[in-house]
Structures are given as C-alpha cells and as structure tokens.
Amino acid sequence: MSRLDASNVLLAREIIARYPRPKSAMIPLLHLSQQQNGHVTNEAMEHIAELIGVTPAEVLGTCSFYEMFKREPVGRYMVNICTNISCQLLGGEELLHHAEETLGIKPGGTTEDGLFTLEDVECIAACTEAPCLQINYRYENRVSLGRFDEIIAEVRGGKRADVPTHGTLARIRQHIDPDRLAGIEPPEVAGVPPWFASRQDEAKEETA
Amino acid sequence: MTSVEPTEAVTGIPFVLNGTAVEANEGELLIEACERNGVHIPRFCYHNRMKPVGMCRMCLVEVDGGRGPALQPSCMLPVTPDMKVETESEPTKKAQDGVLEFLLANHPLDCPVCDKGGECPLQDNAYAFGAGETRFVEEKRHYEKPIPISDLVQLDRERCILCDRCTRFASEVADDPLIHFIDRGSQTQVNTFPDHPFSSYFSGNTVQICPVGALTATPYRFKARPWDLDAIESTAAADTSGARVVLQASQNELVRTLGVDSEAVNWSWLSDKDRFYYEATNSPDRVTEPLIRDGGELKPTRWGNAMRAAARALRIDPERVAAIGGARLTLESQYAWAKLLKGVLGTDHVDAQLGDSLPAALTLGLPRTTIAEACAPGQIIVLMGPDPKEVAPTLYIRLRHAVVEDGATLIEITPRATSLSKYATLRLQTAPGTVGQVLSALADGQLDTNVGTVQAPELERAHQLLTGDRQVSVVFGRANLAESARYSADALGGMRRLVPNAGYLPLLRRSNIHGALEMGLTPGFLPGGARNRGGLVDKWPSTPEFEGHDTDAILKAAAQGEIDTLVLLGADPLGDFPDSTLAEAAFANIKTLIAVDGLLNTSSARATIVLPAALFGEEDGTFCNLEGRLSPIRAKVTPPGLARPDWVIAADLSHAIGPELGYTTLEELRSQMRATVPALDDVDWDEIDGADDGPLFRPERNWELEFGDPAQMPPTSSYGYRLVVDHKLWDLGTMSQHSASLANLAGPAVLRLSPNDIQLLDLADRQQVTVDLGEESWELPFVADPQVAPRTAWIPARLPGFDVRELLSAGRSITNLRLRTGEVPADVE
C-alpha cells in the first residue's frame, strides 16, 4: 500500500486547501509521499494526480525534475559526497573511494542492510569546509577518512539524533487553522494584486 | 494567438525586414509577419495553431528594437513599430548553424531507415542552414527504440529534439496531458507515466506535427517513403465535422492520412478515427464482386445477374420496398439513390438515420450556424446533445478552444457530464425524460420552482445568460438513446421560444448524414428539403405517393410482413439500431435483402444480394458537413475487384429496372442535381475544388417548425436508476472493426455509476451489480465515474462484452433500471 494512507490523505487535503489551485500542492504532496514511504512510489504519484486533478504524467514530469525526490527505494541515510573542485583538491575523491570501500557499494548503490545509499554529488555549497559530505542533507565538514568511519559508526550506533531518517526531511509542517486562512482566491477571480497594480501605474507614468 | 487570425492585407505596424519597409498586424509575432512578407524563418517548435514556447531556438534572428541588434527568437516576439529585422545576416546565420549543431549533437543519423526521412524538417533545415558536418565526436544518447506510447503511436526518444510540440498539443489542444517531459535536465525525454498510455483520441496529430522522426504512427511505420507517395486532398468521413485531409497512397493502396489546415473546420487537427480508418479500405474482407445467396450461402456472381435479381426484387408495390442507410455515400451517390428509390421505384420508406437521432425536419429546418460563428469570442454555446468528443472530435477541439481561449461561455444541458463539462459556466443536469420540461420552464419564465433534477437558481442563471444580448449557438443532438427522442425535440422547441435568433449546429452520428438528409434519404423529403409532391422535382419520373416510414417504422412494418425488399446502403440495423429485438424480428420477415456496401456487417452478411461498392478514397464526390459546408471527396486508389461507386450502381440498377437516371458521368450527375435542387446551383462548385474551406450549402428555409406541448416528465420511481446510453468514438462500428489498428480500441461495456451511488448501493467491495428490468436480470461489471449523475446509470452502446440494446426498447419513453447487489460477494467468487 504505497498510496497515501488515510491520515496523510487528510493532511493532503489540508495542504491542497492552502492554494488557489489544487495543482499548486503538487510538490508539498510529493514531500508527503516521500515522508510516508521513504521514496515516491508510482502509486503515490497516481494518487497525488487524483487528489489535485492532473494526469500522473504531469506529476512524474515535476517529480523527476527534482533529484531529491527518489523514485526508487533508498537507504535510511543518503550519504552525499562532494567531488566538485574544492572538495576534489582537498581529498573529496579519496573520501568517495574510501566510502565505497567502507560501505561496499558504488555511488547510487544501497548497503545490504538498507541503511546507507551512497551518492557522489556536485558542489553542495560548503567549499570553505572541503572536503564535505551530507548525511540525509545534514552537513559534515572537513571530513577525514577517519572521521568518515566515525560518522558511519555513530549513525549505525544510533547516536546521531540530529540526522533524520530519509523521507522525514521536511520536519516542520506548517499548520494553519481554517479560520485563519487568508481566503485565497484564484488569480482570475482575485484580479490584479494591489502591489502589482501600483507597479503598473508607475510604469505607465514613466513611459508617459 | 496570432496565426488563428486570418491573414488579411494589413495596415498596421511598420517594421524593416532585411532592409525593406513592410507592415505587420497588431500583435503579430515576428515569425508570422516575416512569413507573410515572403521570408521563411526556420523553426521546429513553433506551430501556428499552438501557443509559442521559444523552445528550439531555431528561429533566432537579429532584431534591433532601438537598443542595437541582438538575436531574439522570432516566435516569441510581437512586432513593434520600426523594429529592424535581419534574417540573412552573419550573426543570424551563425546562430542557426550553432542551434542545428546542438540539436544534431544527440540526434542519430539514421535517416535512411527513419520514416520521416525525405519530409523531415530537421533534415531540411540541416541541409539549408546547417554546417554540413559535425564536430561532435562523443557518444550520442541511447534509448530503447522505439517504445509504444499508445496503441497507435511509437516513440523513438533518441530522435527527439525536445521541441515541446507533442506535449503542448496534448495539454493545450487535446486536453489529454498524458505525455510529458520526464527527467528534465541533461536527460530530458518525452514519455508517458508507466501503464498510462497516451490513449488520446487525437494522438495521431502528434505524429504529424513532430518535426523529426521521434513519433511515428504504428499503421504507417515502414509502409512507404514520402517520395513514393501519391497525394490528393479530400475530406475525412469518419464523423460529421468534415475535417480536411490529404490522402496518401503508395502502389494503389492508401497508406496515410494527414490533416489539412482548414480555417473553417479542423484547424489541421484530426481525430485518430479520421486519420487511421482508411485501413478498412485495405481490409482483406472487402467485398470485391457481386454476391448472391444460393443454397443459403453467398456466392460470387456477375454484375448482370446481381442486377437482374435486384431489379426483380424491387419491381414490386413501392409500399413494400424500403431502404435504410446512405450516410456513407457521397452527396452525388445520395442524390442518385434518392432518385432511384423515390423517383423511379416510388417508395418513401427511406431513412438514412437509424432511430438514434432526431426527426429529420428539425435537423433540416432549424437555422444553421457555422463552427466559426458558434466559436466566435464572447458567444454563448449551449450543448444539448451527446458528448462532442465522442461524436465529432474535431468539433470538440474547436468548442474547447472557444471556451478556454476565446472567452465563449458554455452552458451544458445534458443527462451526463461530458468532456466539456469542466469548462462549462453552467451545467444543467437533466435526468432522462426531463430536458423538455426544463427548456419549457425556461421559455415560460417559470424560474422559481425546481424542474426534475434542475434547481430553481440554476434555471434563473440559465435564463439570465440565454436572454442576454450575446449571440447563442445551440449544439444539439440525441444525448441519450434510452429516452425517447421526443424529449430532445421538446427541448429544441423550448429553445426556439426562449432564444428565437439562436443558431444551431446538429451533432449527429454517421459521416455524410447531412448530405443524406439534404438529398432526400429520409421519409417525407426530396432533395433540397423539398416536401413530397412539392412540385420541385418535375425532372423525376415520379415521386412517392405516400408518406414513408422512418427506420423505426420500417422495421416495425417489416416485422409484420409489410416490407418484402429492404435495401441497405451501408447501414447495419442489426448491429446499430437501438431496439435489436425489433431489428431481428424485421430481418426474419424480409424476403429480399439487398446490401450495397464495401464491407459486410452483421446485417449485410444476411443479404440475399450484395452489390460491392467503392469506399472512402476510391470514388470522387462531395461531402456535406454539419454546417452544410461542401468539400470534395476524392479518389486516390481504384476500387478493389469489381466494386463500383454507389452512383454508378444506382444508374445500372435503374437501367435494369427500366427507367434511366439520366446521367453517364459524375459531371452530368452534378448538372442534374443543380438543375433539380436550386440551392445547389447557388453554390459555387469551383470553390468546392479550389478553396480550403468550401462553400456553404444553405437552402432558404423559413419553415414554421411545429413543436407540440412538451411531454410530461415521467414519474420518479423510488428505486429506479434512469439509464443513459450513448456512443463512444471507438466501438464495434464496421469501419473501425476492419481497421487493424483501431479494432481493439473499443473498451468493454461497463455500467458506470456515480461514486456516491456505489456507496449507497453498498457495491464498494464488489465487481458486479445486478440489473433488473421488467422480468429480466443481468449481472454487469461496473465502475465509479464522476461524469455520471446521481440516480442514473450510464452504459455506452455498441461495445464488446454486453450489448446494451438488450435494455432498450423503441416503445419506452425512459428506461428505469433497478440496481442491487448480487447474492454472492465478489471475493467469494
């Protein structure tokens, strides 16, 4: 059963209600389904399509654009090792090789116990802390080979409460009580927003 | 969108094109303005019937809008005053060269085995604007090739240049966004969702607009090369919209149909039925020689024998002769057969419709509008008929475009939601049997009480919209075969009173049915809508001396032994007449059944004499579409074996009977038609052959249509589910079933219920529902379908699995079903 479960359908309806058009809830709902199953299943995409009134192909089109939406099962922890220029100069590739040997998998692979999935990634915007990696998108800076082994041991030992398991990355979910919703109307009903109208007026004055 | 506007001579926006001062229309895109001024700019993604996206960059030109020259995509750029445009400059050429080099980086050079080779825009543009050789030495992208994305279309992703034409068409025009860009980025590809094929009624159009060989049609793959093809313009005859096409043949066999851009009708789009059902003409089952029943078996014979036998069977009391069908024929053949049946034989028991339609007087007499007028910006369109997507898909595209892009307002008054419902401003859900009273209440201004399933506020809103100052066009037809046609006719009467100046577009089934009605293949009328004995047809030997039966009455009379000889002009009453029991009873009592057809169907397979007829693409003639627009039907291949055009068969048969029909060539036949039907003489016949759109055949008819008091609504039954039966595009029709690629597209017959009713009936965990009608019961599979209204059950007709006609009877005004759970839950079975 990899469609959204009953409680998530309720949550999905609440999320959809926040937008003028149901289609706008597509990405939050993809997060929701990844949270539920650890990855986005085909059945979940079909379910999301039903909920927001589009075709499954449209959901797949959006979902497949984003690398962080996984459409195949991945381990509980994604290990992303940067091999872009700064990290490479400071030992990123050696780190990746070390990780491959330690975990016994190639980039893209998942350990047999289903705990780790290894990826080599392009720049993750921490060049000052090279070589760096992410475990489920939580940063580890200036990672030596020894430090890598420690991290893996820590995670295996359950000592890293700060690292969420995969799929539960969006840990803060906004909840807005229905009576506090701003009353969103579709643009074609709401007309030109005031901030945009004033800019249009200014532009007209300038050209005049 | 610019190009949808007619390209007239303009006074407009001056700009400079390659040093010459020219003018553009207000808001016109540069690529169009250049085209109109004689400069072709190469393009891949731009298509004049879709919104521009600027995806392929092939149309880059150097534009100086006042801030110095820069390369800009001409498909995204509206012309502004005094813009300077260079399409031949060095920077432009370098850009074109560069874009092509990028496009070809991953495009395989498999042109020799590619179906598009020879007519490929990428090939042509590469020759005209490319460098001629590649600097790219790396490995190209590889994909599995090709993959079927539907039953009709195959996708070769290696060849795709990501121009977005097919995906834009699917979402923008067809509204079936089942193909999409997947894995956007360096690995972008077009694809479907797994197990959700691109099963659009319009999928073939993506093949036609694909600028490379990425999308190919399964029926045409590897059949021919473009330079081997013989082509001729014609008109598609799969439905009544009359889409313009090019027929292409190779070695005297039709191999492909392409859409032609007709401003008035199809805007270059075709339904897959229009596009692929030419396959039926190549069917091995074609009747290629006259057949005559001998010892219970149909055996080949000579034309002379068949004609003599047929003549003997027809030379009897005209009241004992009847003919059904004729919508398949060309306008000329329809006239010829009308003359033979009514003028020579003197019978009026002639009907081209099969009891699933409306009285011919309404179709002929209601003031007709055109598609363009109905779809003009700001109009009100009322749909009181079947789902246009199922009956006339090309019309659906135009109606949808009018509502979505041109601000037309759609009001739907139908027993079930249609494909257009989501665009309707107002939808009146009329339960079967109520539509007449609903329109009557609207016309009488009784807006404060609910009528049937329609609530008072909805009536109020409808009245307000329809009586405003906007022009109203009514698309009408028979929305439900399970309720009497009387209700639909009543509704039209109400609409006549409510909006006296409304224009009408009939939404009937069967290709050239409008030609058939106009040429008198319907009881009570002669060609041109003349009433019998109206004095118009003094060129005919005689005219019928009695008012004839429609198909319903013909079959009833035949069942009582009052009809001896029945002629079938391509019709299949056993397979298609709503009351199958009646049709069966009639066939049992007919002495001689004469079938004129190119393919045998359930009915003609039981014929005594079969006269082989030429089909689509094998004969010249004229098509009359739902607007009354005349367009050419042309022959590209020769009829197989001894088959002949229907008008030749009519003349020969008349000769065998005695009197001559008075023509020997198609030209003589046309002259005779023009002499007999004055309104046909008013038509500019050169225009039929010449212009893309074709002239309108519009006889003056200020008929006072008689509408009686509308029938009362049938009483509501406490447990009744009212049945809705209509037709889907893919069904067990003869032509579809003989087209190899289309034969399997007809889905199984399933009873469709609103999701709420499934809960109410406690059916959620079951697969079958028990249907009670009278003394009989059926076990039917069902599905939830939000298009179905509460307390109604929808079963499409003519599908495999269950013949819904078992539930229909010509005598019932509506059909009330009782639904219940069966004895055994599904999981136990």
Side-chain angles (χ1 to χ4, degrees):
Chain A
M1 189 60 186
S2 42
R3 288 162 66 92
L4 294 180
D5 60 31
S7 64
N8 279 336
V9 168
L10 285 179
L11 204 46
R13 293 200 198 286
E14 187 192 323
I15 294 170
I16 292 167
R18 286 181 200 157
Y19 298 90
R21 297 199 182 90
K23 196 179 175 181
S24 308
M26 192 189 290
I27 288 178
L29 295 193
L30 285 166
H31 277 295
L32 189 63
S33 79
Q34 182 152 288
Q35 177 185 328
Q36 178 183 299
N37 301 317
H39 69 288
V40 183
T41 62
N42 282 354
E43 291 80 5
M45 282 190 270
E46 286 170 345
H47 195 180
I48 291 169
E50 282 169 32
L51 289 169
I52 60 176
V54 300
T55 63
E58 289 173 289
V59 179
L60 176 61
T62 300
C63 179
S64 62
F65 175 71
Y66 295 98
E67 290 269 314
M68 285 164 70
F69 286 132
K70 302 296 176 193
R71 286 178 290 136
E72 299 289 333
V74 292
R76 279 167 71 83
Y77 299 95
M78 299 286 308
V79 182
N80 296 351
I81 299 178
C82 176
T83 53
N84 210 298
I85 184 73
S86 296
C87 289
Q88 188 191 33
L89 290 172
L90 291 165
E93 292 199 331
E94 287 79 359
L95 181 60
L96 179 64
H97 287 306
H98 178 72
E100 287 176 11
E101 278 173 16
T102 312
L103 298 174
I105 46 177
K106 291 282 176 196
T110 302
T111 53
E112 277 181 12
D113 56 6
L115 216 47
F116 296 101
T117 297
L118 184 63
E119 277 185 350
D120 63 330
V121 294
E122 299 306 325
C123 185
I124 51 177
C127 301
T128 54
E129 310 298 328
C132 55
L133 62 80
Q134 292 171 318
I135 292 214
N136 274 355
Y137 309 105
R138 268 41 180 192
Y139 281 93
E140 295 291 336
N141 300 325
R142 303 186 196 210
V143 183
S144 64
L145 304 189
R147 176 65 192 140
F148 179 83
D149 294 343
E150 282 173 37
I151 296 168
I152 296 298
E154 284 166 19
V155 172
R156 278 195 202 278
K159 291 172 189 157
R160 290 299 299 267
D162 61 315
V163 179
T165 53
H166 188 259
T168 59
L169 301 170
R171 283 184 300 177
I172 303 168
R173 174 157 283 117
Q174 198 180 16
H175 175 76
I176 308 170
D177 291 325
D179 56 323
R180 288 181 54 228
L181 278 173
I184 309 163
E185 288 185 314
E188 59 268 19
V189 177
V192 182
W195 61 268
F196 190 77
S198 63
R199 281 195 196 172
Q200 281 181 318
D201 293 342
E202 281 166 30
K204 265 180 211 157
E205 278 162 29
E206 274 173 36
T207 48
Chain B
M1 283 173 47
T2 52
S3 55
V4 177
E5 306 293 325
T7 51
E8 298 155 357
V10 253
T11 56
I13 297 151
F15 73 107
V16 182
L17 175 58
N18 296 337
T20 315
V22 292
E23 284 187 342
N25 289 326
E26 178 79 37
E28 192 174 21
L29 293 174
L30 182 55
I31 196 168
E32 287 286 326
C34 292
E35 187 87 23
R36 230 165 22 78
N37 286 292
V39 174
H40 176 79
I41 297 173
R43 81 285 304 259
F44 295 111
C45 69
Y46 180 72
H47 187 282
N48 64 351
R49 293 294 183 187
M50 294 193 287
K51 288 178 188 156
V53 280
M55 197 90 175
C56 72
R57 320 310 287 177
M58 190 63 218
C59 69
L60 288 173
V61 290
E62 213 183 352
V63 177
D64 184 352
R67 296 181 184 177
L71 288 168
Q72 302 206 44
S74 56
C75 73
M76 294 292 285
L77 193 65
V79 179
T80 53
D82 301 320
M83 189 181 250
K84 291 187 186 63
V85 182
E86 292 291 340
T87 66
E88 308 276 330
S89 63
E90 272 312 307
T92 305
K93 283 184 172 165
K94 189 152 183 282
Q96 289 170 338
D97 188 295
V99 168
L100 276 166
E101 188 170 9
F102 270 124
L103 290 179
L104 290 170
N106 269 314
H107 187 86
L109 297 180
D110 59 351
C111 305
V113 295
C114 175
D115 266 328
K116 200 80 176 182
E119 54 175 9
C120 173
L122 181 59
Q123 207 176 30
D124 295 346
N125 284 339
Y127 273 111
F129 304 97
E133 54 187 68
T134 178
R135 293 178 291 170
F136 191 80
V137 293
E138 290 78 2
E139 189 70 16
K140 297 184 183 225
R141 289 197 306 184
H142 290 295
Y143 288 112
E144 184 193 341
K145 62 189 289 174
I147 51 168
I149 56 169
S150 77
D151 291 322
L152 296 168
V153 180
Q154 312 238 7
L155 169 64
D156 188 330
R157 289 165 292 176
E158 288 178 359
R159 293 178 185 155
C160 176
I161 59 166
L162 305 175
C163 71
D164 202 13
R165 271 187 174 189
C166 57
T167 42
R168 256 184 306 156
F169 171 83
S171 58
E172 236 177 64
V173 181
D175 195 24
D176 290 318
L178 297 164
I179 45 173
H180 214 277
F181 283 133
I182 309 291
D183 294 334
R184 283 173 190 257
S186 61
Q187 298 294 318
T188 312
Q189 52 167 304
V190 170
N191 213 330
T192 60
F193 193 84
D195 301 326
H196 288 252
F198 181 41
S199 51
S200 168
Y201 287 170
F202 305 99
S203 64
N205 291 294
T206 60
V207 176
Q208 185 172 341
I209 59 178
C210 182
V212 293
L215 293 169
T216 44
T218 313
Y220 175 72
R221 278 172 68 82
F222 308 126
K223 277 278 169 63
R225 299 306 251 156
W227 51 87
D228 288 333
L229 294 176
D230 269 340
I232 197 158
E233 272 200 41
S234 185
T235 305
D239 62 56
T240 58
S241 46
R244 302 301 301 276
V245 295
V246 165
L247 298 180
Q248 296 181 323
S250 171
Q251 298 170 10
N252 202 29
E253 182 184 319
L254 291 179
V255 292
R256 185 163 70 166
T257 308
L258 295 178
V260 169
D261 196 329
S262 157
E263 178 65 37
V265 186
N266 60 316
W267 284 7
S268 83
W269 310 126
L270 293 182
S271 75
D272 285 353
K273 200 169 182 180
D274 276 340
R275 188 179 297 273
F276 297 119
Y277 92 138
Y278 69 83
E279 279 190 317
T281 63
N282 304 326
S283 160
D285 304 332
R286 280 295 294 274
V287 186
T288 54
E289 51 199 339
L291 306 173
I292 203 156
R293 196 165 292 277
D294 180 11
E297 223 177 306
L298 279 175
K299 291 189 178 149
T301 182
R302 288 191 295 191
W303 267 110
N305 293 339
M307 284 297 180
R308 275 191 295 280
R312 262 198 308 279
L314 291 168
R315 224 185 282 121
I316 54 174
D317 174 7
E319 295 206 38
R320 302 190 71 83
V321 175
I324 298 176
R328 169 182 64 73
L329 278 50
T330 64
L331 196 72
E332 290 81 353
S333 295
Q334 286 162 345
Y335 171 88
W337 272 94
K339 184 172 180 184
L340 171 62
L341 292 164
K342 296 195 167 180
V344 173
L345 299 174
T347 178
D348 196 41
H349 300 322
V350 177
D351 197 358
Q353 310 201 81
L354 266 75
D356 53 2
S357 190
L358 295 173
L362 286 180
T363 311
L364 289 170
L366 285 168
R368 204 75 66 91
T369 184
T370 63
I371 298 174
E373 281 165 18
C375 294
Q379 303 273 338
I380 291 184
I381 301 168
V382 183
L383 176 64
M384 297 202 302
D387 189 340
K389 194 172 179 177
E390 308 290 352
V391 177
T394 325
L395 180 68
Y396 160 80
I397 284 190
R398 293 292 306 270
L399 292 175
R400 182 185 170 275
H401 186 274
V403 178
V404 175
E405 305 288 343
D406 289 341
T409 299
L410 177 68
I411 303 175
E412 237 186 26
I413 309 177
T414 51
R416 72 163 175 93
T418 72
S419 346
L420 286 171
S421 295
K422 61 177 161 175
Y423 307 111
T425 302
L426 178 66
R427 191 180 135 60
L428 303 187
Q429 165 64 43
T430 50
T434 62
V435 68
Q437 286 293 340
V438 167
L439 265 292
S440 178
L442 281 173
D444 295 339
Q446 288 170 1
L447 310 172
D448 44 4
T449 42
N450 300 349
V451 182
T453 41
V454 179
Q455 308 293 308
E458 296 171 324
L459 289 174
E460 179 75 47
R461 179 97 179 94
H463 190 266
Q464 192 188 356
L465 283 167
L466 290 169
T467 53
D469 48 8
R470 293 158 76 187
Q471 176 64 38
V472 174
S473 300
V474 183
V475 180
F476 72 96
R478 179 89 174 269
N480 181 8
L481 300 181
E483 63 178 308
S484 159
R486 172 76 198 276
Y487 298 113
S488 306
D490 287 347
L492 287 168
M495 184 58 83
R496 285 289 282 163
R497 285 196 288 138
L498 179 65
V499 192
N501 66 344
Y504 290 81
L505 273 184
L507 196 52
L508 306 181
R509 292 180 66 225
R510 300 189 186 90
S511 59
N512 201 7
I513 185 68
H514 292 287
L517 298 182
E518 293 292 350
M519 290 303 106
L521 290 178
T522 185
F525 291 95
L526 293 174
R531 282 285 175 177
N532 277 357
R533 286 163 283 173
L536 180 64
V537 189
D538 47 8
K539 307 219 165 190
W540 283 14
S542 66
T543 50
E545 289 176 0
F546 58 94
E547 184 90 2
H549 296 328
D550 62 7
T551 298
D552 192 17
I554 291 174
L555 294 176
K556 274 181 191 145
Q560 288 160 14
E562 292 166 16
I563 302 284
D564 290 334
T565 304
L566 178 65
V567 181
L568 293 178
L569 295 170
D572 182 9
L574 288 177
D576 213 10
F577 185 73
D579 189 338
S580 51
T581 325
L582 176 58
E584 190 56 52
F587 269 58
N589 279 329
I590 284 162
K591 291 196 182 114
T592 312
L593 184 63
I594 304 172
V596 185
D597 211 340
L599 284 161
L600 290 188
N601 53 41
T602 334
S603 310
S604 48
R606 288 170 57 170
T608 327
I609 303 161
V610 180
L611 306 178
L615 291 179
F616 182 70
E618 297 164 355
E619 57 182 330
D620 285 321
T622 307
F623 187 89
C624 178
N625 84 345
L626 52 87
E627 307 165 286
R629 191 179 298 282
L630 300 184
S631 53
I633 293 174
R634 294 211 185 90
K636 188 66 250 173
V637 295
T638 48
L642 301 176
R644 297 175 183 178
D646 301 276
W647 58 272
V648 177
I649 298 175
D652 288 353
L653 191 51
S654 189
H655 174 79
I657 291 167
E660 300 290 341
L661 289 185
Y663 58 81
T664 53
T665 65
L666 195 62
E667 278 313 307
E668 285 174 19
L669 172 55
R670 282 184 183 152
S671 313
Q672 193 185 122
M673 290 164 68
R674 293 166 67 170
T676 318
V677 183
L680 271 182
D681 203 35
D682 297 339
V683 171
D684 181 355
W685 281 71
D686 291 337
E687 217 184 297
I688 300 178
D689 270 348
D692 281 346
D693 289 350
L696 289 171
F697 170 57
R698 280 291 160 81
E700 279 284 326
R701 272 178 206 147
N702 299 314
W703 295 354
E704 285 295 327
L705 292 170
E706 284 173 23
F707 298 98
D709 288 336
Q712 288 306 311
M713 287 189 285
T716 36
S717 139
S718 53
Y719 57 78
Y721 276 72
R722 294 193 181 176
L723 178 64
V724 178
V725 174
D726 56 11
H727 285 91
K728 304 283 280 179
L729 184 70
W730 304 127
D731 62 9
L732 297 177
T734 312
M735 288 295 267
S736 304
Q737 286 307 304
H738 284 96
S739 303
S741 320
L742 308 182
N744 296 322
L745 296 180
V750 178
L751 185 139
R752 292 165 182 273
L753 283 175
S754 90
N756 267 347
D757 285 340
I758 288 184
Q759 300 295 331
L760 275 176
L761 288 164
D762 200 17
L763 289 168
D765 300 326
R766 297 165 192 267
Q767 269 113 43
Q768 303 251 324
V769 60
T770 308
V771 177
D772 297 330
L773 177 67
E775 300 293 299
E776 286 184 273
S777 292
W778 292 264
E779 288 284 323
L780 295 182
F782 69 92
V783 289
D785 189 334
Q787 286 191 314
V788 184
R791 309 299 290 180
T792 51
W794 169 34
I795 310 180
R798 245 194 155 183
L799 294 181
F802 174 64
D803 188 348
V804 70
R805 297 180 304 159
E806 288 182 26
L807 304 176
L808 300 183
S809 162
R812 270 197 287 272
S813 59
I814 62 164
T815 310
N816 252 324
L817 303 179
R818 183 177 179 190
L819 303 185
R820 59 186 168 92
T821 54
E823 306 299 316
V824 192
D827 51 340
V828 180
E829 284 181 2

